[in-house]
Amino acid sequence: MLSSALALEVVFHLVVAPRLVIRHIQIDPGRGQAFSEEALLAAAGITGKIHYFDVDPELISRRLLTLPFVRKTEVTRVFPDTLSITVTQREALAAVLIDTGDDVVPALIDREGVLFRLGVSESVSYTHLTLPTKRIV
């Protein structure tokens, strides 16, 4: 009994597993799209042929969370040949002006206070906030 289980395990690892390759990658960018699929895959470290059992969904998720506009991710393997990536992007709550030394550029801030995009495009919707200033002499 043990020898047949061992034989099946060997056959699986030598014959079946190498043939299970990710052939489809489904990407759900959520609302808006601050990135291209190619840029997202590059940030995730996904290049070339990937074997199904070599995919580490947690590692891919951690890599994607390093992107400033990504708030949350869900990465799952779908048997037999699919990788599903869902990205929740940060949503702008307000815009601020930041003095870079050379220029003043707009930047977006989300609900959690995370600054996530410098140089705002006109297509982004956000709350315009004007704060009163008091000059101290």
Side-chain angles (χ1 to χ4, degrees), residues 6-23 49-54 79-81:
L6 182 60
L8 285 174
E9 185 78 18
V10 169
V11 167
F12 176 80
H13 285 287
L14 295 177
V15 178
V16 177
R19 295 172 194 231
L20 294 174
V21 176
I22 297 294
R23 288 182 171 72
K49 181 177 172 181
I50 306 169
H51 292 283
Y52 184 84
F53 291 106
D54 290 340
F79 192 81
D81 63 355

Side-chain angles (χ1 to χ4, degrees), residues 73-94:
T73 64
E74 183 179 332
V75 180
T76 55
R77 292 181 297 194
V78 182
F79 192 81
D81 63 355
T82 302
L83 181 64
S84 174
I85 301 173
T86 302
V87 175
T88 303
Q89 296 183 48
R90 297 188 180 279
E91 293 183 30
L93 176 67

Side-chain angles (χ1 to χ4, degrees), residues 65-78:
L65 287 170
T66 64
L67 298 171
F69 55 82
V70 175
R71 186 172 67 81
K72 186 171 87 174
T73 64
E74 183 179 332
V75 180
T76 55
R77 292 181 297 194
V78 182

Side-chain angles (χ1 to χ4, degrees), residues 2 4 9 11-13 24 27 29-30 36 45 54-55 59 62 68 78 91 93 95-96 99 104-105 126 129:
L2 182 61
S4 62
E9 185 78 18
V11 167
F12 176 80
H13 285 287
H24 308 284
I27 298 175
S36 68
D54 290 340
V55 172
L59 176 61
R62 284 194 308 270
V78 182
E91 293 183 30
L93 176 67
V96 295
D99 187 351
V104 176
V105 295
Y126 57 88
L129 200 55

